Amino acid sequence: MDAMPPPSDKDGLKPYDGPQPVDMLPEIFIKDAFAEDDERLWVPLAPGRWSRPLCLNASNGYWIHLTRVRGGGFLSRHRHPGPVHGLVIKGSWRYLEHDWVAKAGSYVYEPPGEIHTLVVDDDCEEMVTLFHNTGAVLYCDENGVTTGATDVFDRIRTAREHFEAVGLGADYAERFIR
Ligand code: FE
């Protein structure tokens, strides 16, 4: 963790040092979310697909992470029972059901219930998007029938297994869990 900056500036501004709620959880601070210097922090999900966990929220059932995809193609057809917020950091992707292309700087709100088909076009070498997922991702077939699912508990388990396998230890995942 980095050292605290000086507590006051020229105007005499001081940090609040009064009581905080006793049940308050600790903050999460990640200095380098892109983890460019440590590939171990990217959890592999499938060939050419990784997830960099930022906040795995077991108490409210959501997770915030960076999705990284290298190489274009079909990723998944899926439905979200809860809302999704996405902010594209790098590259581009789109849903076959919409006429827009999400590019670096694009923000997307995905409404609960929508079934959509995620593709990364072949001319995109690497895509990185911050996603805030709530509840689950329900994978669907071409008829919209659910064929599989993932939720924050899967993400926690997968992260623990990966961090153990790469030598960071399963407990490395704890810093992302609230
Ligand atoms: Fe989606």
Side-chain angles (χ1 to χ4, degrees), residues 39 45 60 71 93 122 136 143 159 176:
E39 185 60 26
L45 299 180
N60 281 282
W93 54 268
D122 289 335
N143 297 313
F176 306 115

Side-chain angles (χ1 to χ4, degrees), residues 115-136:
I115 294 172
H116 46 218
T117 310
L118 176 58
V119 296
V120 174
D121 287 319
D122 289 335
D123 60 357
C124 177
E125 277 182 25
E126 180 177 273
M127 176 278 265
V128 177
T129 299
L130 184 147
F131 280 113
H132 181 308
N133 288 75
T134 297

Side-chain angles (χ1 to χ4, degrees), residues 78 80 95 110 116:
H78 60 260
H80 309 279
Y95 286 128
E110 304 184 11
H116 46 218

